[in-house]
Amino acid sequence: MFTPKRILMQKLVWLTVLICLFLACRSNTSDNLQRKNSFSSSKTEGLDSLFEEYVQAKRIPGATALIAQEGEIVYHKAFGWKDIKEENAQQTTDLFRIASMTKPVTAVAAMMCYEEGKFELDDPLSKFIPEFSDMMILDQVNQQDSTFTAHPAKNPITIRQLFTHTSGIPYGYDDQTLNTLFVKAGLSEGFEERDILLADNVRKIAELPIMHEPGETFTYGLSSDVLGRLIEIWSGQSLDVFFQDRIFDPLEMKDSHFYLPEEKFERLPKVYMSSDSGVVPTNYPLINYPIAGAKRYLSGGADLSCSIYDYYLFCHMLLNEGELKGKRLLTAETVRLMQQTHFEGGDEDVGLGIGILNSKTQSSKARSIGSYSWGGFFATTFWIDPKEELIAILFLQMYPFADWQIQSEFEDIIYRP
């Protein structure tokens, strides 16, 4: 017979068993994370201290960081302010201007077209955009009237050279001579508030001279914008629709946009810059592009904004060799092709839309050889370390920025014993 006293004793026994099981599981999970991820509490505390110290010293307004290893997020925190004056705290769900971290997304989109047989890597660009036939190489610019002299290129620009930024197509924002030509042509470099279409802008790019013989050297520039236009030609969709249908929706990237919907405006941190008195609002003119202007230009090299978690999903797909949560975007073979060196550039070689760490001869980076990465204009960065099965992402919103050391300190803490 089950007396009340006996029933109570059984309940106490089962409760004790459950508590023991819970503690064992928690201990095993903790041990397992340390074994699998080697991400100790001291690293968490080190990262917390790093960001808190930078914020308190007014070296940055705020920061959001995410680290994952072997498929598990082991660190995901926000620090400081998205608006210092309003004392509006930064949140892990905030949306950031990722600028050139758009480029790997464009590269993945292009390789989806590659798998569909739309192009070969060494096809000439002019096969798809005839205006890029007979390109000229810049000799010099007359600053007084913006005229220039140039000579014919010997070789055509190829699709591979757009991925590797060896096409000779530059940016103009950091070179006064080139900026003269860009302004005269009305050329967009992204962060665009004017009513300009990607197709029209790419035709303007084709009218300007390139910097060197195609394939000769690395020239960071508008190659990814041209690649974005090619995606539109190959797919018959605008770049934003292609990204949404083929990348964002399958990966459940719900907070990734070329231009933010109005209900998400408040989640966009302000951009600040370094000064002698600490961080102050930036004087850079083109910082409102995600929320203001015509909202029509789709830069494949610069214009996405997203949450750090969304970008993690994109990185996780790459680390998983093209697949995430049962959704396959690329074959493993294609992802490995992207991760191969397609142009040797010293410590940082260039793959298809990504930089690859292939030598530590002159590098102080802690990440493993074979890690690949990219960064953005407003001090965002990420890398993927296949050897350690690790993803690290750090989002700031600063330009101009003087404290790049924070990125190396972030990396050093992650990899320390």
Side-chain angles (χ1 to χ4, degrees):
M1 178 179 295
F2 290 95
T3 64
K5 183 176 181 180
R6 186 174 180 184
I7 292 172
L8 178 61
M9 289 298 296
Q10 284 185 331
K11 287 182 177 180
L12 288 173
V13 170
W14 277 111
L15 180 60
T16 302
V17 170
L18 288 172
I19 290 173
C20 291
L21 286 172
F22 170 76
L23 291 174
C25 288
R26 187 174 67 173
S27 176
N28 288 340
T29 300
S30 177
D31 291 344
N32 192 43
L33 279 175
Q34 290 182 23
R35 179 181 60 81
K36 288 171 61 179
N37 301 331
S38 301
F39 208 86
S40 63
S41 60
S42 67
K43 293 184 181 182
T44 296
E45 292 166 1
L47 290 170
D48 289 353
S49 296
L50 172 70
F51 297 126
E52 288 167 357
E53 288 170 7
Y54 267 79
V55 170
Q56 289 173 8
K58 297 183 179 179
R59 298 168 71 179
I60 60 172
T64 296
L66 187 150
I67 304 161
Q69 194 165 26
E70 294 198 355
E72 295 190 44
I73 295 175
V74 295
Y75 191 89
H76 185 196
K77 293 188 179 183
F79 299 84
W81 313 99
K82 59 173 167 252
D83 187 327
I84 296 174
K85 183 179 179 181
E86 299 295 328
E87 294 188 345
N88 192 354
Q90 199 162 120
Q91 307 291 330
T92 57
T93 54
D94 284 339
L95 310 182
F96 293 78
R97 306 161 185 83
I98 64 170
S100 286
M101 281 173 60
T102 304
K103 290 177 171 69
V105 182
T106 299
V108 164
M111 293 309 289
M112 295 172 84
C113 296
Y114 171 82
E115 290 192 340
E116 294 169 355
K118 302 295 186 181
F119 69 96
E120 296 295 333
L121 287 172
D122 293 318
D123 281 343
L125 171 56
S126 58
K127 177 179 178 180
F128 308 101
I129 307 178
E131 288 88 345
F132 283 93
S133 300
D134 305 319
M135 295 301 293
M136 303 292 287
I137 298 175
L138 181 66
D139 292 323
Q140 61 182 14
V141 177
N142 185 328
Q143 292 286 354
Q144 293 182 340
D145 60 8
S146 301
T147 59
F148 62 86
T149 59
H151 63 274
K154 297 177 183 177
N155 300 300
I157 297 171
T158 68
I159 308 302
R160 189 192 305 269
Q161 291 159 0
L162 296 175
F163 280 100
T164 59
H165 292 274
T166 58
S167 66
I169 300 171
Y171 277 129
Y173 63 84
D174 62 349
D175 186 303
Q176 185 57 49
T177 299
L178 292 175
N179 190 57
T180 299
L181 296 181
F182 279 42
V183 170
K184 182 178 181 180
L187 196 64
S188 175
E189 300 181 75
F191 315 152
E192 187 57 67
E193 297 180 34
R194 295 174 296 168
D195 190 359
I196 296 175
L197 293 178
L198 179 59
D200 295 333
N201 200 58
V202 167
R203 281 190 285 269
K204 292 179 181 180
I205 294 172
E207 293 172 358
L208 293 179
I210 56 178
M211 299 304 294
H212 52 75
E213 193 66 40
E216 184 178 72
T217 190
F218 181 92
T219 295
Y220 199 49
L222 287 162
S223 290
S224 293
D225 283 52
V226 178
L227 195 59
R229 174 55 187 155
L230 286 171
I231 292 166
E232 294 186 331
I233 293 170
W234 293 326
S235 69
Q237 295 179 300
S238 62
L239 194 60
D240 57 343
V241 172
F242 188 97
F243 279 10
Q244 192 69 49
D245 290 351
R246 303 289 299 276
I247 299 176
F248 298 159
D249 285 347
L251 295 182
E252 300 180 15
M253 296 170 64
K254 299 176 181 179
D255 282 320
S256 298
H257 308 275
F258 275 102
Y259 296 98
L260 299 188
E262 187 172 353
E263 65 270 17
K264 297 184 181 182
F265 284 4
E266 65 181 15
R267 293 167 61 189
L268 183 72
K270 288 189 174 182
V271 178
Y272 290 83
M273 67 180 186
S274 302
S275 77
D276 293 339
S277 59
V279 292
V280 296
T282 187
N283 56 12
Y284 188 70
L286 301 176
I287 59 170
N288 293 318
Y289 72 91
I291 61 177
K295 301 184 180 181
R296 294 233 292 165
Y297 189 67
L298 307 173
S299 170
D303 277 1
L304 285 180
S305 296
C306 70
S307 67
I308 200 167
Y309 181 74
D310 268 21
Y311 210 84
Y312 157 71
L313 293 172
F314 174 76
C315 292
H316 196 175
M317 176 274 298
L318 287 174
L319 183 59
N320 283 349
E321 296 192 318
E323 182 271 337
L324 185 65
K325 297 180 181 179
K327 306 287 181 62
R328 179 160 292 282
L329 272 63
L330 294 171
T331 65
E333 181 182 13
T334 296
V335 175
R336 288 193 290 268
L337 178 63
M338 294 179 68
Q339 297 167 2
Q340 293 175 13
T341 293
H342 292 261
F343 184 80
E344 294 185 6
D347 290 335
E348 292 285 347
D349 291 350
V350 190
L352 298 180
I354 50 177
I356 305 167
L357 186 64
N358 272 345
S359 168
K360 287 193 173 179
T361 305
Q362 298 175 343
S363 174
S364 60
K365 295 185 185 300
R367 67 192 72 165
S368 306
I369 298 297
S371 298
Y372 52 97
S373 62
W374 211 259
F377 187 85
F378 297 107
T380 59
T381 190
F382 85 96
W383 74 87
I384 299 172
D385 186 336
K387 181 180 178 181
E388 298 294 332
E389 296 187 54
L390 182 141
I391 296 165
I393 311 171
L394 176 59
F395 280 2
L396 310 177
Q397 292 287 261
M398 302 229 13
Y399 184 83
F401 185 44
D403 266 326
W404 292 105
Q405 183 180 351
I406 191 173
Q407 294 185 353
S408 59
E409 291 183 59
F410 174 62
E411 180 174 343
D412 288 343
I413 291 171
I414 293 171
Y415 284 91
R416 72 187 182 191

